[in-house]
Amino acid sequence: MIWGLGEKLKELFRGKTDTAEFFDNLEDTLIEADVGAQAAIKITADLRDMAKKDGAKTKEDILGLLRRDLGEFVRFEPLAPDPAGLNVFLVLGVNGAGKTTTIAKLAQYYRGAGTDGIVLAAGDTFRAGAIEQLILHGKRLGVRVVSQDPGADPGAVIFDAIESAAARGEKLVLADTAGRLHNKENLVRELQKIDKVIRNKAGEKAVYRKILIIDAGTGQNGLAQAKVFHEAVGVDSLILTKFDGTARGGIVVAIARELGLPISFLGVGEKMSDLIPGGRDEYLDGLLGET
Ligand SMILES: Nc1nc2c(ncn2[C@@H]2O[C@H](COP(=O)(O)OP(=O)(O)OP(=O)(O)O)[C@@H](O)[C@H]2O)c(=O)[nH]1
Ligand SMILES: [Mg+2]
């Protein structure tokens, strides 16, 4: 299984590792992987200095330094429901990022880890077919889904889900949201409304977390997305999806540098089990690949 930069680095390491060309190519590779131009330039400059000072670096030296520098900003936030009470996880992200699939994966994962009483809230009432998609996941997983008709107020759907979960003593509400509305202002306003409903409803009684889904292949746009969502409602942690089969995914480094957001899980395929609870090491292993 090769994710991330592995293939590209492997190619680079076939040649000499002390030439100007090597460092230029390394810098380009890091930029292409979306770690951000500043980080790429800094890391490559560090390596150039080291090579100048004490001669050519081995592949292991270079990988070690890459790991250290890339990892400097990446933080892990384990995202585990509090078994003592109600938890509300609101799942955010642009359309197609993998929100709904990740919700289903999380439901399976948490159930496997012992969380009793998981409810899915069909808060994407905007996109045609979104409610059915979540209901289908719920059926397959044997998990309750709270939904209303298309076009319904997403805040009301999530409110119902929280209220019924509390009444039944269920432990975790995983709430889906729309990734796109008519325009960005609408999306932000809608998310702020949902956020307010959850805060009012869940109050101090529940653990409330906002999870942003970022598609590893979206490139630098992922940073712009993170800024919009973070400014709108305040994001608690990231899940990076589609980390399988891409030479990118460095965006987590860029988002961590700019916004300080931690990572909680990695999505590495379309199957329900393709979700890795993971932090820095798993992420860096994936990013640097089998070089
Ligand atoms: N390879 C791969 N595919 C994924 C992963 N996560 C999600 N997908 C696929 O990405 C596509 C979109 O996923 P959804 O979960 O529907 O995305 P969404 O964010 O809910 O999209 P909207 O509801 O349109 O906003 C689906 O085909 C998923 O199977 C992943 O980690 N790896
Ligand atoms: Mg969806």
Side-chain angles (χ1 to χ4, degrees), residues 95-101 105 127 133 242 244 267-270:
N95 59 302
K99 294 178 295 300
T100 310
T101 310
K105 288 177 177 177
R127 182 174 63 74
Q133 189 188 354
K242 310 188 197 180
D244 49 306
V268 295
E270 297 193 78

Side-chain angles (χ1 to χ4, degrees), residues 104-117:
K105 288 177 177 177
L106 286 170
Q108 172 163 307
Y109 174 79
Y110 288 132
R111 193 177 49 191
T115 299
D116 251 348

Side-chain angles (χ1 to χ4, degrees), residues 214 218-228 251 254-256 258-259:
I214 295 279
T218 43
Q220 283 300 301
N221 194 248
L223 179 58
Q225 292 166 16
K227 281 183 181 162
V228 169
I251 195 66
I255 295 174
E258 284 265 336
L259 304 173

